[in-house]
Amino acid sequence: MPTFHSSLATPQVLTNTQLYMTRSLTLSLPSQTVSKKHKQYSTQQHKLAMKQTLFLLSLALLSLSTAQGRNPNQCDLPNHGSTLQVFHVNSPCSPLRPPEAMSWEDAVLQLQEKDKARLQFLSPSLVAKKSVVPIASGRQILQSATYVVKVQIGTPAQSMLMAVDTSNDAAWVPCSGCAGCSSSVLFDSAKSTSFKSLDCQASQCNQVPNPTCGGNTCAFNMTYGGSTLLANLSQDTFTLATDPIPGYTFGCIQATTGTSMPPQGLLGLSRGPLSLLSQAQSLYQSTFSYCLPNFRSANFSGSLRLGPVGQPKKIKYTPLLKNPRRSSLYYVNLMGIRVGSKIVDIPPSALAFNATTGAGTIFDSGTVFTRLVEPAYAAVRDAFRKRVGGNATVTSLGGFDTCYTVPIVAPTMTFMFDGMNVTLPQDNLLIHSTAGTTTCLAMASAPNNVNSVLNVIASMQQQNHRLLFDAPNSRLGVSREQCSS
């Protein structure tokens, strides 16, 4: 099977280039068993050989350092003002990456499986069953969080790497004594002088899913992918970059089952009542932006920029749409998709926003690969295949049904929103095997098994773009920005 490029895995093996360098070193180093004839080399020739050896050794060490993937100078950059660094959860800079190296192909297939669970959460078929329940207190959260930021919690501060998610409200972190939590880094509330638990009379207790009261402390439980969690509703100081936010409401996890949880918690960036936008409204004026680095980026270099100050001026916007059934989600009006220079013939109903059924299009940071409802995806896929050419044999890989084992010239793809167009570069459109023998269109059809009518613009298609969420003006902006190192 082909292995795909990515920083998701950092195999501790030598590349062909490194093996060549190593062999060159072996041939260049002085030998104790060389013949007398060789010992008669001039001093100048010997010095030249030693210089070549040192040069090759330097190259080999540099290449090996690159293979290790982690650049301490890039991994430990300080935050500035209200800007936080963002990096992929499995990047070399992340202590949360899997202990054992995984091929890119296996990682991609694993992410596809997690996407299926998240799309069930985003699917309006689940919402319709709970349409009479307030969105913040009735939903089940199923997702695969892929990007994290550093958050300081408590007094004195304790550092946590929390997953950022634009489709979720409340924050939660694993706390000391947690039963079943996988992370070795736990928030110790007993060491924070600013920590407090919220009782059942607190208004926030009505804004969390499945609240319960035990000993007058408000607790809640929820489902996350294949996991469940039980948390006490709490408050403490959250510090993002250099901005302290006193009395931030979050869940202090007491118990969890399963392995789907982000190890050190989650920071909700949606429009719900317990999200960062709502709790820090006076500080950030419900405005933020982020740039997600490429999956293959060796070091974190993305950023989460909070507040209206410092946001890009030259950026095109599309209006945010409001759906009372899914008020937290960032709906937009996707009007069409262009492959190459031709607008694809997509049934209008496949893209139409419908607040009653929940149909439409959202931007979501927690889904990895863009999903389009079946009629839209089939039309886009067929147009893509046609532009690539009929002589190229189409194969499949996992959930990807448009893959090629020969070099291809891929057409451009443009998402046409109300007020702006977003043309995807090939890095956001295709995934390639390490050897270059397999190339796949990195998007798929929405799962039919949950009758999904939701189009999801996912994180891979957002990479190296600045996404600006301007809730007060009900708009979302997108512009190209290279934030991969």
Side-chain angles (χ1 to χ4, degrees):
M1 281 189 174
T3 301
F4 285 87
H5 286 299
S6 178
S7 63
L8 293 176
T10 310
Q12 306 305 311
V13 296
L14 294 176
T15 64
N16 290 336
T17 302
Q18 292 161 355
L19 287 172
Y20 171 78
M21 291 180 185
T22 305
R23 287 196 295 268
S24 299
L25 285 169
T26 304
L27 294 174
S28 300
L29 289 171
S31 171
Q32 299 301 320
T33 59
V34 296
S35 65
K36 292 182 179 180
K37 182 178 179 180
H38 287 107
K39 290 182 178 179
Q40 294 174 357
Y41 280 170
S42 68
T43 302
Q44 183 178 1
Q45 289 174 317
H46 179 71
K47 289 181 178 179
L48 177 61
M50 290 302 296
K51 288 180 179 178
Q52 292 175 334
T53 297
L54 291 173
F55 176 71
L56 288 170
L57 178 60
S58 299
L59 286 178
L61 291 174
L62 176 61
S63 185
L64 285 170
S65 175
T66 302
Q68 297 293 332
R70 191 179 195 275
N71 183 337
N73 293 330
Q74 290 294 321
C75 292
D76 299 323
L77 293 174
N79 292 312
H80 298 284
S82 298
T83 300
L84 290 81
Q85 297 168 28
V86 178
F87 56 95
H88 194 274
V89 70
N90 289 335
S91 77
C93 286
S94 173
L96 308 179
R97 62 178 176 165
E100 296 183 3
M102 181 185 301
S103 72
W104 177 220
E105 180 188 54
D106 290 339
V108 166
L109 296 178
Q110 184 184 82
L111 290 172
Q112 284 182 317
E113 289 301 312
K114 292 183 178 180
D115 269 359
K116 291 179 182 179
R118 181 174 183 85
L119 289 165
Q120 289 180 1
F121 153 64
L122 296 174
S123 171
S125 64
L126 293 180
V127 180
K129 299 176 183 177
K130 300 183 178 182
S131 60
V132 298
V133 181
I135 198 68
S137 61
R139 73 185 189 179
Q140 293 180 334
I141 297 180
L142 306 174
Q143 65 213 337
S144 58
T146 53
Y147 288 91
V148 292
V149 295
K150 183 182 293 185
V151 180
Q152 305 290 339
I153 305 177
T155 308
Q158 301 174 44
S159 182
M160 306 293 289
L161 293 174
M162 301 177 69
V164 292
D165 198 321
T166 57
S167 296
N168 286 281
D169 299 338
W172 32 265
V173 297
C175 289
S176 295
C178 175
C181 286
S182 61
S183 176
S184 59
V185 179
L186 303 172
F187 174 67
D188 190 346
S189 60
K191 293 183 178 180
S192 174
T193 58
S194 50
F195 174 87
K196 73 172 184 177
S197 296
L198 295 182
D199 59 32
C200 297
Q201 285 70 47
S203 60
Q204 296 92 331
C205 195
N206 295 320
Q207 299 171 338
V208 293
N210 308 310
T212 59
C213 283
N216 202 37
T217 298
C218 179
F220 65 95
N221 63 82
M222 59 197 294
T223 302
Y224 181 96
S227 301
T228 59
L229 67 88
L230 174 66
N232 290 337
L233 197 59
S234 311
Q235 285 185 340
D236 209 331
T237 298
F238 273 40
T239 301
L240 304 175
T242 58
D243 302 328
I245 308 173
Y248 198 94
T249 301
F250 68 103
C252 192
I253 301 176
Q254 305 300 306
T256 183
T257 62
T259 58
S260 301
M261 306 281 294
Q264 296 186 28
L266 179 143
L267 182 66
L269 297 178
S270 73
R271 293 187 280 183
L274 292 181
S275 71
L276 176 65
L277 265 68
S278 297
Q279 294 201 54
Q281 184 175 12
S282 60
L283 181 62
Y284 300 130
Q285 298 170 42
S286 299
T287 303
F288 73 94
S289 71
Y290 61 68
C291 183
L292 303 179
N294 192 287
F295 286 126
R296 296 189 297 272
S297 180
N299 303 298
F300 68 85
S301 52
S303 62
L304 172 64
R305 193 173 295 162
L306 301 168
V309 178
Q311 301 296 354
K313 302 298 183 183
K314 295 182 179 180
I315 189 169
K316 292 184 177 180
Y317 290 95
T318 188
L320 286 172
L321 308 178
K322 295 182 179 180
N323 184 342
R325 292 175 181 255
R326 303 309 306 270
S327 58
S328 296
L329 301 183
Y330 292 104
Y331 276 91
V332 293
N333 185 12
L334 177 61
M335 303 177 68
I337 299 175
R338 188 169 59 221
V339 175
S341 59
K342 184 178 179 180
I343 297 177
V344 180
D345 185 13
I346 299 174
S349 60
L351 303 180
F353 172 71
N354 188 316
T356 301
T357 64
T361 302
I362 67 167
F363 276 84
D364 178 48
S365 64
T367 305
V368 181
F369 304 108
T370 287
R371 300 293 186 110
L372 301 175
V373 299
E374 177 58 31
Y377 175 72
V380 170
R381 175 201 61 200
D382 293 347
F384 180 89
R385 291 178 178 179
K386 183 177 180 180
R387 285 298 303 266
V388 169
N391 294 330
T393 302
V394 178
T395 62
S396 63
L397 173 65
F400 298 123
D401 63 4
T402 302
C403 300
Y404 301 89
T405 56
V406 295
I408 64 170
V409 178
T412 59
M413 186 176 297
T414 302
F415 289 94
M416 305 168 67
F417 300 97
D418 180 9
M420 71 175 187
N421 291 341
V422 177
T423 299
L424 299 178
Q426 291 205 8
D427 279 350
N428 296 48
L429 191 61
L430 304 173
I431 54 174
H432 307 276
S433 65
T434 302
T437 57
T438 302
T439 298
C440 295
L441 175 64
M443 56 182 61
S445 173
N448 290 325
N449 60 333
V450 294
N451 192 30
S452 177
V453 293
L454 193 63
N455 300 298
V456 181
I457 310 300
S459 63
M460 182 171 181
Q461 281 63 48
Q462 298 176 30
Q463 292 171 168
N464 288 317
H465 287 80
R466 173 69 55 179
L467 272 72
L468 174 54
F469 296 78
D470 182 0
N473 294 305
S474 194
R475 60 183 184 173
L476 185 152
V478 181
S479 64
R480 288 292 304 276
E481 179 177 325
Q482 185 66 30
C483 61
S484 296
S485 58

